[in-house]
Amino acid sequence: MTITRVSHADLVAESAVQVRSAIRSGRYDGHTAGLAAGKLQCNLAILPERYALDFLRFCQRNPKPCPLVGVGDSGDPTLPTLGHDIDIRTDVPRYRVFRDGRLTDEVTDISGDWADDLVTVALGCSFTFENALVRNGVPVRHLETGKNVPMYRSNIALAPAGIFSGDMVVTMRPIPAHLVDQAKEISRRYPQAHGAPIAVGDPAQIGIADLASPDWGDAVEIRSGEVPVYWACGVTPQNVLLQAALPICITHAPGHMLIADVAEDAETTILTNTRTNKETTS
Amino acid sequence: MTITRVSHADLVAESAVQVRSAIRSGRYDGHTAGLAAGKLQCNLAILPERYALDFLRFCQRNPKPCPLVGVGDSGDPTLPTLGHDIDIRTDVPRYRVFRDGRLTDEVTDISGDWADDLVTVALGCSFTFENALVRNGVPVRHLETGKNVPMYRSNIALAPAGIFSGDMVVTMRPIPAHLVDQAKEISRRYPQAHGAPIAVGDPAQIGIADLASPDWGDAVEIRSGEVPVYWACGVTPQNVLLQAALPICITHAPGHMLIADVAEDAETTILTNTRTNKETTS
């Protein structure tokens, strides 16, 4: 049987469940920006159970770059608090498999790599607050120009936990000076998605030498009257995991996220119907 | 040497560091309500490392009753993300020690019970949003009348993790009908302290038979024009830990909390100076 592939445009009006279904069946393996509008999208880190306690401590201590939104049971590929039918082995469009700190595979299905001791950790991502900025009239340059957000290694030390430590990676968005306070206030409402900016203005204050030379992503123009604004970035935990050189670690490929059924503006990242009211649902 | 004891009134204008110092030195072992105004106070759960991963998963999945605000390293009594000099063995006024699910001791120092495999978990508490309600003109009955907040077992099932499961415990505060929306909006701003209410109105909807007979705390009067409003309660994790019957588990005694150096309205519960900027502090 041949699989009928679908495009990003085919999926743009579909629900989270339908998009995950297209990904699971092999019909779609592209990026997830703009899909399942209003639903939380997640960065992914899958790692062996013996490192999971320290990694959860690391995320708790560094909530701006590592906003914890879901954790699976050991060996269990479902994530019932994030979505009704999620199978983390198949529901992300594209995965990166790292062994001993080196990228060994980029794949669309990790069923063959799954093991009883693996723990899935889902972290919030910047799509959430970027959507809110745009919705509230704050322009986001890299989205307007079809580029990837510029990302930089900063000199902001992370709070360590076990083998996990390092410096924070930040993103930069140029914001018109008169909209900076609004951008701060809007993004602060999304603690599950990096929250308020880490810094505003001079890149040297956080150890960035040259905004024109990002460490990842694309440089973007800073126009007259605009101020560079820096947010904590989800590449931080990926970078820290890479440096920790675990025997195995699986992440999403950049831009190819897990789409949850949780609304991105929900009070918590937990599907409320996982807390069934036993008496009144009968 | 005799220890000069101090009273609650003696400490009410002191800083968090000073209050912890009085507690540590044995000069104070009373309740912490109203002390170190503006600082985060925390519920406490100390448990063996082998249960910590599941307990952190449990807290992540039940963020309203179990808002995770700090986690220690295994065997380490400090909590540098919550306070500059915290020693969790001595800095809480009164502890409860449970063995195999039974209360065996209520003590003011757990140095003798401390062990290399113990992990400290700190959770946000309702003092934070109650302070905000009062500050914003929303009356809180049990505070006005010098009572303990009424707490009830609900029928709201918690999302389980490993051996940890059960139903949510809730608190009830009668709120004038015209202030209910304001109370919701104010408390929602404190996700680190139970957030917005779980339910409003009829107690039967969440399995409570009689508001006049709370399971813990004191009954309070519901006056004409007032509506009962229910919040998730920090007794939930204590109850779940008790039912799990761990070989050892240590909690704070009710009302006798850990006082952090973190501001209760901070964006995160992490002291920012734990993320030292290596280049610019030289």
Side-chain angles (χ1 to χ4, degrees), chain B residues 104-169:
Chain B
T104 54
D105 271 311
E106 184 162 313
V107 295
T108 59
D109 184 317
I110 55 164
S111 298
D113 296 299
W114 191 255
D116 279 352
D117 72 332
L118 291 180
V119 176
T120 302
V121 179
L123 302 169
C125 92
S126 56
F127 287 173
T128 297
F129 79 80
E130 286 180 346
N131 293 345
L133 290 177
V134 171
R135 217 166 41 235
N136 286 279
V138 177
V140 177
R141 177 71 27 79
H142 70 274
L143 296 180
E144 290 172 348
T145 55
K147 292 185 172 176
N148 196 353
V149 68
M151 293 165 265
Y152 306 86
R153 297 178 200 275
S154 79
N155 65 3
I156 303 169
L158 300 162
I163 58 170
F164 303 109
S165 65
D167 290 334
M168 196 186 297
V169 177

Side-chain angles (χ1 to χ4, degrees), chain A residues 61 64 71 155 196 267 279, chain B residues 61 64 71 155 196 267 279:
Chain A
R61 293 172 192 175
K64 304 264 289 184
V71 187
N155 65 4
E267 188 193 5
E279 308 298 317
Chain B
R61 293 172 191 175
K64 304 263 290 183
V71 187
N155 65 3
E267 188 193 5
E279 307 298 317

